[in-house]
Amino acid sequence: SSGDLLGGGGLVDDDAATVAPLAPRAAAPDPLDLLGGGLGGASATLPPQLGPSLVPSAGSVDPATFQAKWAQIASEEKFENLPLVALPASTTAVDAALSQKHVNTTASGELPALFKFFFYAKDNQAGLYLVQCVIDKASKTAGLTVKVDGPALPSTVRDVVLAGLQIAAL
């Protein structure tokens, strides 16, 4: 026959008076029930936050304390040539945008070719982040040097700082 590609008759059997109903579909496995014990279910919820998140800092870190702590922490991670959509309007705009994200400014300044900031933040897992941020005005890029004291990941504060810099540029 002209429409029979598999050679076993058409897709519908012309002699069949009824079509068999489809078998009910088995419920999809619960992705939260890793051991098959039925402990997950639709009512299960994921933890609200996986990993560290920044929290408000009690008090401030003055420049002398920042510098002393910076010297104490040997390991650092550098993030260079991070593109910005636009330059921040001012150091004050950056300070305001980042303080809303629990990143505080110890010192900041503007030079003809760049902005420079020294930030600190704390997280919900007792981590302290110290950040030096340099924004190159000509290339519209940021460079971050992050030092962490405690069980924390430098990328946690990097992502928050970059988001704040983008907001400050609006």
Side-chain angles (χ1 to χ4, degrees):
S1 80
S2 63
D4 184 8
L5 298 177
L6 301 177
L11 293 176
V12 177
D13 185 359
D14 293 334
D15 295 331
T18 61
V19 176
L22 293 175
R25 252 183 125 176
D30 182 356
L32 297 176
D33 186 8
L34 300 178
L35 300 177
L39 300 174
S43 64
T45 58
L46 291 174
Q49 179 72 35
L50 299 176
S53 62
L54 300 183
V55 296
S57 297
S60 62
V61 176
D62 62 82
T65 304
F66 185 99
Q67 196 168 14
K69 195 72 169 163
W70 186 272
Q72 286 176 349
I73 303 171
S75 65
E76 64 183 37
E77 191 161 341
K78 292 185 180 275
F79 303 97
E80 298 179 347
N81 298 316
L82 302 169
L84 301 174
V85 290
L87 290 176
S90 66
T91 57
T92 305
V94 171
D95 296 344
L98 287 174
S99 69
Q100 292 181 6
K101 296 179 173 293
H102 309 301
V103 176
N104 303 289
T105 305
T106 294
S108 63
E110 182 175 0
L111 299 170
L114 53 89
F115 289 103
K116 196 167 192 178
F117 300 90
F118 297 92
F119 302 121
Y120 68 94
K122 294 182 181 181
D123 70 25
N124 60 344
Q125 297 179 2
L128 171 68
Y129 302 84
L130 300 177
V131 181
Q132 176 183 323
C133 172
V134 177
I135 298 174
D136 183 284
K137 292 179 179 180
S139 64
K140 291 184 187 170
T141 59
L144 303 177
T145 302
V146 179
K147 292 190 173 195
V148 178
D149 184 23
L153 299 172
S155 59
T156 300
V157 77
R158 174 204 61 202
D159 296 342
V160 173
V161 168
L162 283 177
L165 291 176
Q166 302 297 3
I167 291 169
L170 300 176

